[in-house]
Amino acid sequence: MRIVFVIGTSTGGVGTHVKALARDLGAAGHEIGVIGPAATDEHFGFSLLPGVRFAVLELGTGIGPADAALIRRQRGLLRSFDAQIVHAHGFRAGLITQLTLRTLRSRPRFVLSLHNRASGQGLRGKVETRVETMLARGADLVLGASTDLVERAQELGARDARFVPAAAPEVTPVSAEAAAATRAQLASTYGFDEGAVIVLAVGRVAPQKNYPMLVRGLGRLGDTTGSTNPTRTADAARTGQDASRTKQDAGDPALVVLIAGAADETVLREVRAQYAELSAASAIPPLHFLGARSDVAELAAAADIYVLTSVWEARALVLQEALISGKAIVATATGGSTELVGDAGVLVPDDDDRAFAAAVAELAGDPARCAELGARARARGAELPGEREVAEELAGIYTELVSAQVG
């Protein structure tokens, strides 16, 4: 089959998912094209995949007069690809693709994957709902990365909506020696004891990840448990920089929180200021921002507890990786996270810093409970579909759509 993927700006899960699909479907003998921004190609390397043709379409994020030029360019690209299936990922890519397909006399089958929910309020929310409705009703098939997205598409009038997961990349096992070395390096770099309980969050410092809730939870930890030792330096509290542990009470395990991921600088400044204000008023666990990292597997192996505080996630790849790695998990019960984690972790209500603090405190003081949840997570992770399985499922769906069109 001749399949074209359309993707907008991405540095995370959506781009990872589309790259895996392009790679695996191309390896299976299908003709694959990818259309998207140059920066997305630079980040994921679509144009470097064997047998994959990449074409630049600078989709951007806002709706405006420039969209007419995008539609004209995409129309020419789709004609050159002679696609049988056009599979757009996300609202922006879906909107431009649907408008483009309306201009074609003979159009391919249109598949839309939803990876996020619309979250606008007021006038913006009304506009987003109109776009959602148009896309749901205009696509031949809507795929949701979580069941709530499928249900939303059905509510808006989709003729066919199904759940297809975005699978996590294969997780390379990390040896105990490598994990210990990573722990030692982190302790040395950020000034905490190697015996500390490491709480790890992985994800871009952006509004969706709700790190302010994490910080509020840290502020409550002193009230919920006596097992943590939230010592910090006065200088760090005054300047708003990452805090470093200065001492550790005998028999009282320290707790340190690490956040790995690129940052929206405005959001990062706000979270740092929030942390500085709380830590100036009372002793709370140290918090360090690691920035974008290429050693996430090693970080996860070195950590004791994995946390995800997002206001919403469809099927977070980092959460899947934590399951596969066998981590004790504390996550907000939103979107697809509930069905993904099940009883293999501790789920807390969205934006509930009190429940979050209680869950982290419990695990920090109970290694046996951590080990139990880690074992459950590993078993759950072993059941998750891999990237090749998802690609094969999609190939079957594409064949079904093309056959129906021919019939």
Side-chain angles (χ1 to χ4, degrees):
M1 281 180 290
R2 299 181 300 280
I3 304 161
V4 171
F5 295 108
V6 185
I7 181 173
T9 301
S10 175
T11 58
V14 177
T16 300
H17 175 56
V18 175
K19 180 179 180 179
L21 292 178
R23 179 198 64 214
D24 292 339
L25 289 170
H30 301 286
E31 297 180 36
I32 304 298
V34 180
I35 296 174
T40 304
D41 180 44
E42 182 177 351
H43 188 87
F44 292 102
F46 294 110
S47 56
L48 301 178
L49 295 173
V52 173
R53 295 170 56 196
F54 181 84
V56 174
L57 187 69
E58 298 295 351
L59 286 168
T61 57
I63 300 174
D67 286 355
L70 292 176
I71 291 168
R72 288 193 297 272
R73 174 161 172 76
Q74 191 183 40
R75 181 172 62 230
L77 291 174
L78 291 180
R79 284 172 173 167
S80 70
F81 279 117
D82 191 25
Q84 295 170 284
I85 295 285
V86 176
H87 187 164
H89 291 260
F91 292 112
R92 179 61 174 158
L95 175 61
I96 295 300
T97 298
Q98 186 175 102
L99 294 175
T100 299
L101 292 176
R102 287 180 175 179
T103 69
L104 296 178
R105 183 173 301 175
S106 176
R107 75 173 186 87
R109 302 294 267 180
F110 176 36
V111 180
L112 171 68
S113 274
L114 299 178
H115 298 273
N116 285 288
R117 67 178 184 184
S119 56
Q121 302 295 321
L123 178 60
R124 178 176 177 178
K126 292 179 180 179
V127 172
E128 288 180 348
T129 298
R130 291 186 64 181
V131 172
E132 276 188 288
T133 303
M134 183 180 76
L135 290 174
R137 295 177 180 178
D140 296 300
L141 171 64
V142 178
L143 302 177
S146 57
T147 55
D148 61 325
L149 290 176
V150 175
E151 292 167 358
R152 173 66 172 168
Q154 291 170 336
E155 291 171 2
L156 294 175
R159 69 188 83 173
D160 189 357
R162 311 180 198 180
F163 167 69
V164 172
E170 184 177 349
V171 175
T172 303
V174 177
S175 69
E177 293 77 14
T182 299
R183 175 180 281 266
Q185 185 270 328
L186 290 168
S188 174
T189 301
Y190 297 102
F192 62 85
D193 189 274
E194 287 187 39
V197 174
I198 297 179
V199 178
L200 175 68
V202 177
R204 183 175 178 83
V205 182
Q208 181 183 343
K209 303 305 179 182
N210 199 11
Y211 290 127
M213 189 269 267
L214 184 153
V215 173
R216 296 198 309 272
L218 295 185
R220 291 186 180 278
L221 276 173
D223 300 329
T224 58
T225 180
S227 66
T228 58
N229 174 16
T231 309
R232 57 172 175 80
T233 65
D235 286 345
R238 284 194 297 269
T239 62
Q241 300 301 308
D242 295 348
S244 296
R245 185 169 306 283
T246 59
K247 64 180 180 178
Q248 180 179 355
D249 298 336
D252 188 16
L255 186 148
V256 61
V257 181
L258 308 176
I259 296 178
D264 177 315
E265 289 300 324
T266 299
V267 177
L268 179 59
R269 284 194 299 271
E270 292 171 351
V271 176
R272 284 189 188 278
Q274 177 194 9
Y275 177 81
E277 182 178 355
L278 283 175
S279 61
S282 62
I284 65 175
L287 170 64
H288 302 286
F289 296 93
L290 311 188
R293 301 281 295 223
S294 60
D295 59 344
V296 171
E298 288 78 8
L299 292 175
D304 300 288
I305 302 169
Y306 182 90
V307 298
L308 186 71
T309 55
S310 300
V311 295
W312 186 86
E313 294 281 355
R315 192 177 178 88
L317 297 188
V318 292
L319 197 52
Q320 295 183 62
E321 291 167 346
L323 288 166
I324 295 168
S325 298
K327 293 288 98 180
I329 294 169
V330 177
T332 44
T334 60
S337 296
T338 302
E339 60 193 357
L340 178 61
V341 175
D343 65 353
V346 180
L347 294 166
V348 299
D350 172 37
D351 205 39
D352 190 336
D353 51 271
R354 189 182 298 275
F356 173 77
V360 171
E362 177 196 359
L363 294 181
D366 192 346
R369 175 65 169 155
C370 270
E372 176 195 354
L373 285 178
R376 288 188 187 180
R378 186 171 287 106
R380 174 70 177 134
E383 298 173 350
L384 299 177
E387 291 177 326
R388 184 170 297 179
E389 293 174 77
V390 172
E392 290 173 350
E393 180 180 0
L394 272 177
I397 291 173
Y398 295 156
T399 300
E400 172 190 332
L401 290 174
V402 170
S403 298
Q405 186 177 40
V406 172

